[in-house]
Coordinates of all heavy atoms in Angstrom, one line a residue:
L367 N 75.3 104.9 121.2 CA 75.0 104.0 120.1 C 76.0 102.8 120.2 O 75.5 101.6 120.1 CB 75.2 104.6 118.7 CG 75.1 103.7 117.5 CD1 73.7 103.1 117.5 CD2 75.3 104.5 116.2
A368 N 77.2 103.0 120.5 CA 78.2 101.9 120.7 C 77.8 101.1 121.9 O 77.9 99.8 121.8 CB 79.6 102.5 120.8
D369 N 77.4 101.7 122.9 CA 76.9 100.9 124.1 C 75.7 100.0 123.7 O 75.7 98.8 124.2 CB 76.5 101.8 125.2 CG 77.7 102.5 125.9 OD1 78.8 102.1 125.7 OD2 77.4 103.5 126.6
G370 N 74.8 100.5 122.9 CA 73.6 99.7 122.5 C 74.0 98.6 121.7 O 73.5 97.4 121.9
I371 N 74.9 98.8 120.7 CA 75.3 97.7 119.8 C 76.1 96.7 120.6 O 75.9 95.5 120.4 CB 76.1 98.3 118.6 CG1 75.3 99.2 117.7 CG2 76.8 97.2 117.8 CD1 76.1 100.0 116.7
A372 N 76.9 97.1 121.5 CA 77.7 96.1 122.3 C 76.7 95.3 123.2 O 77.0 94.1 123.3 CB 78.7 96.9 123.2
A373 N 75.7 95.9 123.7 CA 74.7 95.2 124.5 C 74.0 94.2 123.6 O 73.7 93.0 124.1 CB 73.7 96.2 125.1
E374 N 73.6 94.5 122.4 CA 73.0 93.5 121.5 C 73.9 92.3 121.2 O 73.5 91.2 121.3 CB 72.6 94.2 120.2 CG 71.5 95.2 120.2 CD 71.0 95.5 118.8 OE1 71.8 96.1 118.1 OE2 69.9 95.2 118.5
L375 N 75.2 92.6 121.0 CA 76.1 91.5 120.7 C 76.3 90.7 121.9 O 76.5 89.5 121.8 CB 77.5 92.1 120.2 CG 77.4 92.6 118.8 CD1 78.6 93.5 118.5 CD2 77.4 91.5 117.8
T376 N 76.3 91.3 123.1 CA 76.5 90.5 124.3 C 75.3 89.6 124.5 O 75.5 88.4 124.9 CB 76.6 91.5 125.5 OG1 77.8 92.3 125.4 CG2 76.7 90.7 126.8
L377 N 74.1 90.1 124.2 CA 72.9 89.2 124.3 C 73.1 88.0 123.4 O 72.8 86.9 123.7 CB 71.7 90.0 124.0 CG 70.3 89.2 124.1 CD1 69.2 90.2 124.6 CD2 69.9 88.6 122.8
A378 N 73.4 88.3 122.1 CA 73.6 87.2 121.1 C 74.7 86.2 121.6 O 74.5 85.0 121.4 CB 73.9 87.8 119.8
R379 N 75.8 86.8 122.1 CA 76.9 85.9 122.5 C 76.4 85.0 123.7 O 76.6 83.8 123.7 CB 78.0 86.8 123.1 CG 79.2 85.9 123.6 CD 80.1 86.8 124.4 NE 79.5 87.3 125.7 CZ 80.0 88.3 126.4 NH1 81.1 88.9 126.0 NH2 79.3 88.7 127.5
D380 N 75.6 85.5 124.6 CA 75.1 84.7 125.7 C 74.2 83.6 125.2 O 74.2 82.5 125.7 CB 74.4 85.6 126.7 CG 75.4 86.5 127.5 OD1 76.6 86.3 127.4 OD2 74.9 87.5 128.1
L381 N 73.3 84.0 124.2 CA 72.4 82.9 123.7 C 73.2 81.8 123.1 O 72.9 80.6 123.2 CB 71.5 83.6 122.6 CG 70.4 84.5 123.1 CD1 69.7 85.1 121.9 CD2 69.5 83.9 124.1
L382 N 74.3 82.1 122.3 CA 75.1 81.1 121.7 C 75.8 80.2 122.8 O 75.9 79.0 122.6 CB 76.2 81.8 120.8 CG 75.6 82.4 119.5 CD1 76.7 83.2 118.8 CD2 74.9 81.4 118.6
V383 N 76.3 80.9 123.8 CA 77.0 80.1 124.8 C 76.0 79.2 125.5 O 76.3 78.0 125.8 CB 77.7 81.1 125.9 CG1 78.2 80.3 127.1 CG2 78.8 81.8 125.2
D384 N 74.8 79.7 125.8 CA 73.8 78.8 126.4 C 73.4 77.6 125.5 O 72.9 76.6 126.0 CB 72.5 79.7 126.7 CG 72.7 80.7 127.8 OD1 73.7 80.5 128.5 OD2 71.8 81.6 127.9
L385 N 73.6 77.8 124.2 CA 73.3 76.7 123.3 C 74.5 75.7 123.2 O 74.4 74.7 122.4 CB 73.0 77.2 121.9 CG 71.6 77.9 121.8 CD1 71.5 78.6 120.5 CD2 70.5 77.0 122.0
G386 N 75.5 75.9 123.9 CA 76.7 75.0 124.0 C 77.8 75.4 123.1 O 78.8 74.6 123.0

Side-chain angles (χ1 to χ4, degrees):
L367 178 58
D369 287 344
I371 293 170
E374 289 193 294
L375 285 165
T376 297
L377 182 150
R379 178 193 67 194
D380 291 347
L381 291 177
L382 291 172
V383 171
D384 288 346
L385 289 171

